[in-house]
Amino acid sequence: MGKRFGLAAAPLLMAFMATLAQAAEPQSCQRVRMAEPGWNDLAFTTGIASVLLEGLGYEVKSDVLGIEVIYASLKNKDLDAFLGYWDPAMEVYFAAYRDDGSVETIRQNLEGAKYTFAVPQYVHEAGIRDFADLAKHADKFDRKMYGIEPGSNTIMEQIIKENRFGLGDWELVESSEQGMLTQVKKAVQKQDWILFQGWAPHPMNADIPMAYLSGGDEWYGPNYGGATVHTQVRKGYVAECANVGRLLDNLGFTLEFENEGMGYLINEFMSPRDAARKAIAAHPDLLGPWLAGVTTFDGKDGVAAVRDSLGLMN
């Protein structure tokens, strides 16, 4: 009797042990700490990750920090993940952390991005098509270039500091992404000349008649600052928190999907999490690839849990 009981119980014991193995992350992994620099594309993608993780039973803390602070915090293990390394535009920020091994890149999550100097379309048509054209028309620009949050405009700062392209006497005006875009839209209404930081994905490319400048390859990379975006973590995080690591390794986006989600932030004034929920509800087919091999924190079906948390039919 005892022998028969033992044989019958063996499969149940093995299934129980498998469940424990799936949920083997330390309790410390249940709290996931992320940050983004206040850019709408990264606010949206971080919102996606946050909504998925919360649906899986994790607690998520997401902060808005300058890029330099984000990297220092990853190195000091005050943050776990960052979904917004723009390569090569952020090389100046990341290089030291890559070299000392304190920040690890785990996957490319977007291709087709760009990031460089931009002007309104009418300025481009007037002959400002290259970085080298700017100094000759400095007065028209009031010798100002418009950036975003302090700590996110290092390339602009270096160009001024090194007097590259004859821009050494220009002023960098820093505010925020929204503040910069408000200034650009005011200039466009008046047909004033303005130089600003432009990038894609972003609804600005549809909302503002604008053009990117050539000539900045040394600073932003070729093809108008053509970039890929990558997910990064603090050293050892994926090994320590394998289930979260698997989710982060699965998360990939498209320009179209990000533009849609960023539109919810900018035009419908949604929070990043609400924008993420709306975007996922519109594209529920993405949950399968994103959650492949991912469980809840306690080892249950990840897809079912997330769909239930979003009110989607299973």
Side-chain angles (χ1 to χ4, degrees):
M1 182 76 172
K3 191 177 213 179
R4 287 176 60 195
F5 177 81
L7 288 172
L12 295 176
L13 179 61
M14 290 175 66
F16 177 71
M17 294 301 292
T19 299
L20 288 180
Q22 284 182 316
E25 285 187 328
Q27 189 64 37
S28 60
C29 292
Q30 190 165 18
R31 189 167 191 254
V32 182
R33 303 163 301 171
M34 298 188 291
E36 45 87 10
W39 304 0
N40 279 310
D41 62 318
L42 302 184
F44 174 64
T45 56
T46 303
I48 291 285
S50 299
V51 165
L52 295 176
L53 285 164
E54 288 168 350
L56 295 168
Y58 291 84
E59 174 191 347
V60 179
K61 184 176 187 293
S62 179
D63 293 316
V64 176
L65 302 171
I67 297 171
E68 293 170 332
V69 177
I70 289 174
Y71 278 112
S73 299
L74 286 167
K75 177 174 182 174
N76 295 335
K77 299 189 176 182
D78 294 322
L79 286 177
D80 301 312
F82 173 48
L83 274 65
Y85 170 55
W86 280 60
D87 182 27
M90 287 186 186
E91 167 68 14
V92 65
Y93 302 101
F94 173 50
Y97 301 95
R98 180 192 57 234
D99 293 347
D100 69 15
S102 60
V103 176
E104 300 172 346
T105 301
I106 61 174
R107 75 154 289 163
Q108 176 184 304
N109 64 53
L110 180 72
E111 63 180 353
K114 66 176 72 173
Y115 177 62
T116 192
F117 284 8
V119 295
Q121 186 65 39
Y122 55 84
V123 176
H124 192 260
E125 292 170 357
I128 307 301
R129 296 180 176 150
D130 191 277
F131 281 44
D133 298 326
L134 294 166
K136 293 177 288 188
H137 302 273
D139 290 342
K140 294 274 285 183
F141 289 100
D142 198 23
R143 286 182 165 78
K144 291 179 179 178
M145 58 181 73
Y146 289 80
I148 47 177
E149 290 79 10
S152 299
N153 306 297
T154 298
I155 295 175
M156 284 182 158
E157 291 174 345
Q158 288 186 335
I159 286 174
I160 293 173
K161 182 178 179 180
E162 297 179 18
N163 192 25
R164 301 300 294 270
F165 311 103
L167 302 177
D169 61 346
W170 285 45
E171 175 190 352
L172 169 61
V173 181
E174 298 181 304
S175 55
S176 65
E177 177 186 320
Q178 199 56 46
M180 181 195 75
L181 292 174
T182 297
Q183 192 69 34
V184 172
K185 289 177 181 177
K186 287 180 179 178
V188 170
Q189 287 177 345
K190 298 177 181 178
Q191 296 288 285
D192 288 341
W193 286 33
I194 187 169
L195 174 69
F196 60 98
Q197 191 71 265
W199 66 90
H202 196 283
M204 76 171 84
N205 295 274
D207 296 342
I208 299 170
M210 58 182 280
Y212 293 91
L213 301 187
S214 60
D217 293 15
E218 177 186 350
W219 298 90
Y220 289 96
N223 191 27
Y224 298 94
T228 52
V229 184
H230 301 253
T231 299
Q232 298 178 320
V233 295
R234 61 177 172 82
K235 180 181 179 180
Y237 182 67
V238 171
E240 177 186 335
C241 301
N243 193 53
V244 178
R246 193 172 298 114
L247 171 64
L248 295 175
D249 190 46
N250 288 347
L251 272 182
F253 310 102
T254 64
L255 289 173
E256 294 77 15
F257 180 74
E258 289 197 25
N259 280 332
E260 178 183 331
M262 292 160 68
Y264 300 150
L265 296 175
I266 296 168
N267 301 322
E268 299 184 26
F269 308 105
M270 289 186 173
S271 70
R273 280 175 169 79
D274 284 345
R277 292 185 187 99
K278 183 171 181 177
I280 294 171
H283 303 278
D285 54 305
L286 294 173
L287 291 177
W290 283 346
L291 297 171
V294 177
T295 69
T296 62
F297 178 72
D298 57 1
K300 296 175 183 176
D301 186 320
V303 174
V306 171
R307 291 184 70 92
D308 184 63
S309 72
L310 295 173
L312 301 175
M313 295 290 292
N314 286 311

